[in-house]
Amino acid sequence: MSAILLLIVRILIAVGLYAFLGWAFWTLYQDLKRQGRALSLEALPKLSLRVQNEPLPRTYQQLEISIGRDAHCDLCLADSTVSSHHARIFYRQGQWWLEDLNSTNGTYLNQTLLTEPTALTSGDEIRCGQVHFKIETIS
């Protein structure tokens, strides 16, 4: 009887130890993930978008900026020539990129119709439908 009780106690201690180690590693993993996200956002340059007829530019510091008429878009443009999900600007490989999302009236970069994701530089001019805006990167 005491041998069975001793075996059960040993099993419970082993399970408790493995549970503690699992919890400790999970906590460390979550903390590293959180720090990695914070560091990547610090390294991410800010992007300033100056929309036509708006006095102040809009500044963003996020990995992706959605552009469209939809209220859930980061840059919501109330213009009938802009599709609900018109285009997106995203940060990859150390630079900003612009991609058209199969919009009805097209996305233009410096008067050239976009057919594939294209790298952006500071001073580029974008047109979505009839709305023009200018890109400025802030380091």
Side-chain angles (χ1 to χ4, degrees), residues 37-45 61:
R37 256 188 263 121
L39 288 174
S40 71
L41 286 178
E42 285 177 14
L44 183 67
Q61 188 173 19

Side-chain angles (χ1 to χ4, degrees), residues 2-110:
S2 64
I4 293 176
L5 188 61
L6 185 59
L7 179 64
I8 292 172
V9 169
R10 284 181 180 173
I11 290 173
L12 288 176
I13 289 173
V15 168
L17 179 62
Y18 282 115
F20 173 75
L21 287 174
W23 171 80
F25 283 125
W26 178 255
T27 302
L28 286 171
Y29 171 74
Q30 292 296 322
D31 191 41
L32 284 172
K33 208 163 105 176
R34 191 173 19 258
Q35 277 186 324
R37 256 188 263 121
L39 288 174
S40 71
L41 286 178
E42 285 177 14
L44 183 67
K46 291 182 182 177
L47 189 68
S48 175
L49 302 175
R50 184 175 295 277
V51 181
Q52 72 179 18
N53 301 327
E54 286 188 11
L56 297 174
R58 301 181 192 194
T59 304
Y60 299 92
Q61 188 173 19
Q62 56 199 56
L63 290 173
E64 185 173 318
I65 302 162
S66 57
I67 303 168
R69 232 182 26 243
D70 191 283
H72 294 95
C73 288
D74 298 309
L75 178 57
C76 184
L77 302 170
D79 188 285
S80 61
T81 61
V82 176
S83 299
S84 59
H85 295 282
H86 197 99
R88 74 181 183 121
I89 299 173
F90 57 96
Y91 191 76
R92 297 278 189 288
Q93 303 167 343
Q95 63 187 57
W96 291 102
W97 295 78
L98 175 65
E99 178 182 27
D100 181 63
L101 300 176
N102 297 319
S103 61
T104 305
N105 294 317
T107 302
Y108 292 82
L109 176 62
N110 300 324

